[in-house]
Amino acid sequence: MAVSVTYVAMPAIDHRMLDRELKKGSAELIILSILEPRARHGYEISKLIEARSNGHLKFHVASLYPLLYRLEERGWLQGRWVEKAGQRRRRFYELTPAGRRVLASQRNTWKSFVEAMGLITGVDHA
Amino acid sequence: MRDWAPDLRARLAELRLNPAREAEIIEELSQHLDDRYDELRAAGSSDADARRLAIEELSEGGGLAQRMQALSQAHTPAPVVHGKPGAGLLRGVWQDLHCAMRTLRRQPGFVATIVLTLSLGIAVNTMVFTIVNGAVLRTLPFEDPERIVRLNVSNVGNAQNPGPDEISYLELQDWQTARRTFEQIAATAERGVDISGDGRAAARVSAAYVSWNTFSLIGQPPALGRDLRETDEQIGAAPVVILGGSLWRARYGADPSIVGKTIRVNGVPSTVVGVMPPDVGFPYRVEFWLPLVALSQPDRTSRSARVLDGVGRLRPGVSIEQATTELSAITTSLAERYPETNRDVAPRVTPFAIAPQFVAVMIALLGAVGFVLLIACANVANMLLARAADRSRDVTLRLALGASRWRIVRQLLVECLLLATASGACGLGLSYVGVQFFAGAALAETPSWMRFTIDGAVFAYLLALCLGSALVCGLVPAWHAARPNLAATLNDAGRANAGSRWRRRWTGAFVVAQVAAALVLLTGAMLMMKNLTSLMRTDIGVETSRLSQMAIILSQNRDSPDRRRLFLGQLEERLAANAKTNAAIASNAPMGGAHARKLLIDGRPAAEPQTLPLVSLIDVGQRYFDVVGASTIAGRALTTDDVRRPDDSVVVNERFAQMHFQDGTVIGKRIRLIELDARTDGSTETRWMTIVGVVSNVRQQWLQSGEFDPVVYRSYIVDPPQTMQVLARSESGPAVVAGLVGDQVRALDPDVPLLAMSTVDETLALWLWPQRLFGSMFTIFASIAMLLATGGLYSVTAYSVSRRTREIGVRVALGADARSVWWAVTGTTLRQLAIGLVLGTAGAAGVATVLPAFLVGSGGGANLVAYAGVVVVLVTVGVGASAVPARRAMRLDPVTALQTE
C-alpha cells in the first residue's frame, strides 16, 4: 500500500492576512448561525459565542459591533430598538430572508472547505 | 448606569458619523459595556478594574474606529488593505495595478512572449487603420468638405459604356445657372503643359485648367499673389497662371518676385499671378493652374468635347438628391435643344471621395488584419488559460477565505490590460514604420490632400484595440480562474492531468479559430500573389526587356493635325536615317492601352450601336512592326505607300482574325471603326478600311479573360494624335537610347519636351504598383497569421505534454509503444487542426469567390490550386509544430515522469 502526502504551497499568501481572512470568513457564519433561532442583542451574541466555543472564540465590543453593522448594511440582519423601563434601550438583531439564504450558502461552502482541508492535511491511499 | 459616552465618543470621533447615528451607537455600546462591567464585577473585579477592562476591549484588533471605517456610515477614507472588501473602486484598481506589475515583473519571459504576440496584431491593425483614416475617413482639407461634390454625367442610353463621363465647357456654363441648390459650380481638366521662357530648360509639368472660382469653392486661397478672377476667364483676357508651391520652390527657388513675371506656357506668354501653398494639388496632384479659357477652341465650343471634371459646393442643408433634381431639369432641357450631343445624358452628383475600388481594398485589408489580431488574442488567451491553471489553487483559497469573485476577475483583467497597453506601445512604433513604408510606396498615386499620419482618431482606435484585446484575451481565463470549485481544484493538486474539461474546451476552441482564420488569410494572400505573378508573366507577344519607350507630346494649341503629320513624318525620316537608332513611332506601346472603337464589318447585319463589338485601335508609323517584333502571319504589313497614302489599308492581329473571321478569310475584308459615344444606327461618317494583313499578337491591355485583345493597326497619318510614343529596340539602356532619340526630336523642335524613357517592362512594373503593394501587404499579414497560429499549435501541445508528464510516464511504464504515445499527445491537436481547416474552408471559399472580381486578369480554375497549396502548408506546419513536443514525450524516462509534480 503506497502512501502519498501532498504539500500545498501558497507562496503568494501572507499568513497574517490568512489569520485575519480565516476569522473574517468564519465570523459572518458564526453571527448568522447564532441569530438563526431568534433575535438577540449584541452582548447576548458575544456570550453565546464564547459559551458554545468553550471559550475559544471571543467577540468583544470592538470586533462584534462593527461586524453587526456591516451585516446590517448588507441587508442580512435587521436591527430594532427594544425599550424597558429603568434601562437603556437595547438593540436586537434578527435574520432577514436574505440573511437566511446567505447562511445556508455559507454553511455549504464551509463544509466543503473543511472536507477539502481534511483531505489535504490527512493521508491519501493509492 | 455608568457614563461610557466620553470614552466611546473619543474613539468614534475620527469616523465623523452623523450625530444621530453616533448617539445611537454610543447608546448601544454603552449598554454592552454596562453588561460587561456587571459581569466583571460579579467575577470579583474591583470597580476600577472592571471599568478599565471594559474600556480596554474597545481597543482590541486595532480599535473600534478602525474596524468601523469600512462602513458606509463613516466618512473617513478607509485604509487600503489587501483583500479587504469595501475599499473604494479607484483605490482598489490602483492596488490591483500595483499587484499586477509586481506579478508580471517576476515572469519576464512570459510577459515578453505575450507582448510580442499582441503587438504584432495591434501593429498591423493600427497601420491599416491609419491608411484607411487618411484615405477614407479623414475629412478633406477643404472648407466644409461635406458640401463639396463631384459633377459628371451618365449616358443612360449606352449600355456598353454608360459612364461616368466628363462634362463639356458649354454644359458647365449651363449648369452654373443651378443657383438654387449650389453655391458654386466649377470644373477642372488635368493636362500636362510645357513651360519655358523663364531662363530654365523647357519642362513638362502636371497642370489643370480650372474655373476662375475653383479655389474659392474649395476654400484654399493662394499663399502668394492673387487668385484667379472672373475677368481672367473672358475671351481675349491676358493669359495668367498660378504656380504650385512645390514647383515654385524647386524651379524658382521660392523667389517671390516670380509673381508678376511672364513665362511661356505651351508657347503662349502668360503672367504668373499667384503661388499656392505646397500641400495644395487640387484636383489630384497638380502643380500648375490655368484658367479654362486657355483650353483650345474646339474644347471650349463643342458640346461633344467632354473634357472637364465638374465640382460643386452645395448650399447648406441641400442634399445630393435635391441637387441632382435641379441639374436634371437643366439636362432635360439641353437634351431637347441639342439631341445629337445631350440625348440620354443624365447628371451624376457624388460626394468628393476616393474611388470605390480603393475603399473596397481598404475594407478587405481591415478584415485581414482583424483576423491577425484575433489569432494573436487566441494565442494569448491560451497562454493566460495555462497560467490561470497554475494559479488556480492560490485563487481558490483566496475565494474560500472571503475574497469576492469580482475582485479576483478584476485583478486578472488589470493584468491583461497592463499587457495589452505594453503591446499597444510596441505596436504603435511598429505601425509607424509600416505607415511610412506605405506612404512612400503610394506617394505618386494618391491625391495631394491624402495624408497618412497618426492623429487623434488613430490613437483612439489604438486604445480601443488595447482595451478590446485585454477583454478578449483575459475575460475567459479570468472568469475560469474565479470559479469557486473548492474541492475539485484542491484535489487537482499533485495529480498529473491536462487541466479541467472547461479549460480544455476553451483552449481547443481558440486553436480551431486560429487555424480557420489563418487558412482564410493565407488563401486570400495566395490568390493575390498568384494574380500578381501571372500579370507580371503575362505573355505580351514580343520581347520587351530591350524595348524602350518615350512619349512625345505635341501641344494642341501649337500644332494642327497637318503640322503634327509633318513633324512626325520628319521625325520618322531622321530616326530611319540614323544608323544608331532602331526606332519607330506609335500612339501606344505594347501594354500601353489603346483607343477603343466599335467595329462594323462590311456585309454583316448592322447591330444596335450599344451591342457592337469593341476593338483596340493603334496608330503606327512605317517601321513599327519591325521594331516591336511582330511578325506577319498573313497578307502583308503596312508599307511605306500605305503610310504615305493611307486611304483604306489596315492590319489586324491574330486575335482579331480568330474572333471575327473564324473561316480565315480576313484578307481583303472591309471594316469601319466608330467612336464609342457616337450615336448612330450603324452608318457613320468614318471611311471603310480594307484589311491587308494579319500580324502576330501584341498585347495592349489586360483583359479579365486573360486573352489577347483584338487590335487594328492603321497609319498615324489618318488622325495624328497629340501624344506619340517613340519605341526603340537597342542593346544599350534606356538612357543611351533617350539621348539619341532626344537629339533627333530637338533638332526638329527644341521646345518639344521629352518625357523620361524607360523600358516597357519598367512601365509595366509601375502600373502594377497597386497589385504589388496590396498583394505584399496581404502576404505579410498572412505570414504573421500563420506564424502566430503555428506558435499557438506548438505551445498548446507542448503545454499539454508538460501537464501530462506523469500520465505519459504511466502509459510507457505499462507498455505503451511510441506510436500510441505520439497519438495520445498529438491526437487532440490534430483533431483541432482538422476542425479548423474545415471551418476555414468555408471562409476561404468566400474569399475565393469574392476576391477575383477585384483582380485584373485573374482567369478561372486556378483557385482550387491556391487553396490546396494553402491547406498543404498549414497541415505540414501544424503537424510539425505538434510533433516536436510529441517526440520529446516519446523520449521521456518513465521513472522521471512518475516523480514529476
Side-chain angles (χ1 to χ4, degrees), chain B residues 42-173:
Chain B
S45 299
S46 65
D47 173 72
D49 287 342
R51 188 180 175 80
R52 178 180 54 78
L53 287 170
I55 292 294
E56 281 176 359
E57 287 173 5
L58 290 174
S59 303
E60 281 186 354
L64 179 67
Q66 186 181 17
R67 288 175 178 269
M68 287 184 63
Q69 280 180 347
L71 297 176
S72 62
Q73 307 159 43
H75 296 285
T76 54
V80 176
V81 177
H82 182 66
K84 179 179 178 181
L89 177 63
L90 280 180
R91 187 165 286 106
V93 172
W94 176 252
Q95 189 181 28
D96 290 340
L97 202 62
H98 186 66
C99 186
M101 289 177 68
R102 200 173 57 229
T103 304
L104 294 176
R105 253 205 306 271
R106 291 200 293 260
Q107 300 173 304
F110 176 78
V111 170
T113 305
I114 287 190
V115 169
L116 177 66
T117 303
L118 262 187
S119 63
L120 279 175
I122 291 176
V124 295
N125 273 269
T126 307
M127 173 191 161
V128 172
F129 182 80
T130 304
I131 295 169
V132 171
N133 185 44
V136 180
L137 300 178
R138 190 181 285 158
T139 55
L140 303 173
F142 308 139
E143 192 178 312
D144 293 334
E146 69 283 356
R147 290 198 281 138
I148 298 181
V149 292
R150 291 188 194 275
L151 303 175
N152 39 40
V153 297
S154 301
N155 190 338
V156 296
N158 190 338
Q160 269 191 337
N161 187 30
D165 206 353
E166 290 94 343
I167 61 177
S168 66
Y169 183 76
L170 295 174
E171 211 160 21
L172 169 69
Q173 293 178 323

Side-chain angles (χ1 to χ4, degrees), chain B residues 179-223:
Chain B
R179 305 311 301 254
R180 186 168 53 81
T181 55
F182 285 92
E183 266 186 17
Q184 297 188 65
I185 290 180
T188 65
E190 286 197 48
R191 304 272 176 90
V193 299
D194 312 323
I195 57 176
S196 59
D198 53 2
R200 297 158 180 82
R204 186 79 172 177
V205 296
S206 65
Y209 295 79
V210 297
S211 303
W212 67 271
N213 59 337
T214 299
F215 293 120
S216 67
L217 186 151
I218 62 175
Q220 289 193 318

Side-chain angles (χ1 to χ4, degrees), chain A residues 10 43 47 60 62 88 93, chain B residues 2 28 39 60 67 397:
Chain A
M10 299 183 291
Y43 185 75
K47 299 318 291 182
H60 295 299
R88 297 184 208 271
Y93 295 91
Chain B
R2 283 139 295 279
E28 184 177 9
E39 180 188 357
E60 281 186 354
R67 288 175 178 269
L397 277 172

Side-chain angles (χ1 to χ4, degrees), chain B residues 231 260 354 365 740 775 792 804 901:
Chain B
T231 50
I354 69 169
L365 272 177
L740 295 172
R804 299 169 67 188
E901 283 294 335

Side-chain angles (χ1 to χ4, degrees), chain A residues 3-79:
Chain A
V3 173
S4 66
V5 175
T6 305
Y7 175 67
V8 177
M10 299 183 291
I13 299 295
D14 183 328
H15 291 287
R16 288 172 297 175
M17 184 198 73
L18 174 63
D19 187 55
R20 285 199 302 273
E21 295 285 0
L22 266 171
K23 283 186 179 173
K24 185 196 74 67
S26 58
E28 292 176 2
L29 179 57
I30 292 169
I31 299 293
L32 295 175
S33 300
I34 293 290
L35 290 174
E36 186 183 22
R38 62 177 181 84
R40 305 178 194 277
H41 57 79
Y43 185 75
E44 184 183 4
I45 294 172
S46 71
K47 299 318 291 182
L48 265 175
I49 291 173
E50 186 177 353
R52 290 184 184 178
S53 66
N54 289 334
H56 287 107
L57 293 176
K58 290 183 182 177
F59 280 79
H60 295 299
V61 173
S63 53
L64 174 63
Y65 286 91
L67 180 56
L68 288 173
Y69 299 150
R70 186 164 68 237
L71 296 179
E72 193 177 12
E73 280 184 355
R74 288 185 191 168
W76 298 352
L77 302 182
Q78 173 69 52

Side-chain angles (χ1 to χ4, degrees), chain B residues 534-831:
Chain B
S534 69
L535 286 174
M536 293 177 73
R537 292 179 183 169
T538 298
D539 178 17
I540 298 179
V542 293
E543 196 276 324
T544 53
S545 63
R546 291 174 297 137
L547 184 63
S548 303
Q549 64 180 93
M550 181 168 62
I552 297 176
I553 296 94
L554 304 175
S555 301
Q556 190 173 9
N557 287 348
R558 297 176 59 247
D559 293 82
S560 65
D562 287 335
R563 290 184 64 184
R564 289 200 295 275
R565 275 190 205 94
L566 179 63
F567 177 89
L568 292 172
Q570 289 174 339
L571 178 61
E572 271 197 299
E573 287 175 2
R574 294 184 74 91
L575 290 174
N578 191 321
K580 294 180 183 176
T581 57
N582 181 20
I585 58 175
S587 60
N588 304 80
M591 288 307 298
H595 305 297
R597 294 288 185 272
K598 296 178 189 175
L599 174 67
L600 280 172
I601 300 176
D602 191 20
R604 296 189 184 176
E608 291 297 316
Q610 53 267 27
T611 63
L612 291 173
L614 294 176
V615 297
S616 298
L617 173 65
I618 309 291
D619 295 305
V620 300
Q622 58 183 330
R623 301 188 61 224
Y624 172 79
F625 296 108
D626 290 334
V627 172
V628 167
S631 55
T632 305
I633 305 296
R636 60 177 178 82
L638 293 176
T639 65
T640 307
D641 286 339
D642 291 320
V643 300
R644 294 291 180 209
R645 187 177 44 80
D647 293 338
D648 56 359
S649 300
V650 293
V651 169
V652 299
N653 69 345
E654 272 185 282
R655 178 66 180 156
F656 180 101
Q658 285 166 0
M659 285 179 69
H660 301 292
F661 298 95
Q662 288 92 348
D663 57 2
T665 60
V666 59
I667 303 298
K669 291 295 190 289
R670 300 204 310 162
I671 62 174
R672 179 178 276 168
L673 301 180
I674 58 178
E675 300 274 349
L676 290 183
D677 56 357
R679 290 167 185 77
T680 171
D681 58 359
S683 59
T684 70
E685 295 181 5
T686 61
R687 300 201 313 233
W688 287 101
M689 298 178 290
T690 304
I691 299 175
V692 299
V694 179
V695 295
S696 58
N697 290 321
V698 178
R699 193 182 297 272
Q700 295 298 135
Q701 55 194 332
W702 278 298
L703 298 181
Q704 199 73 7
S705 63
E707 297 278 358
F708 284 96
D709 44 333
V711 183
V712 176
Y713 301 93
R714 75 177 179 188
S715 168
Y716 71 84
I717 293 186
V718 174
D719 184 13
Q722 298 168 33
T723 303
M724 287 294 272
Q725 303 290 330
V726 177
L727 301 169
R729 187 173 288 280
S730 169
E731 295 296 330
S732 307
V736 173
V737 177
L740 295 172
V741 171
D743 291 341
Q744 306 305 321
V745 173
R746 277 186 287 273
L748 290 175
D749 187 342
D751 282 340
V752 173
L754 306 172
L755 300 185
M757 184 165 241
S758 60
T759 65
V760 171
D761 284 353
E762 288 167 353
T763 306
L764 281 178
L766 193 63
W767 288 350
L768 288 175
W769 81 266
Q771 286 83 355
R772 276 210 315 278
L773 181 62
F774 293 116
S776 300
M777 290 173 76
F778 267 101
T779 303
I780 290 171
F781 298 153
S783 301
I784 293 174
M786 190 167 77
L787 190 67
L788 292 172
T790 308
L793 278 172
Y794 172 81
S795 62
V796 163
T797 310
Y799 179 74
S800 173
V801 167
S802 72
R803 294 286 286 184
R804 299 169 67 188
T805 303
R806 288 190 65 191
E807 176 197 333
I808 296 170
V810 169
R811 283 174 182 262
V812 173
L814 291 176
D817 61 7
R819 191 170 67 173
S820 65
V821 170
W822 190 90
W823 182 249
V825 169
T826 62
T828 303
T829 307
L830 293 178
R831 272 193 297 276

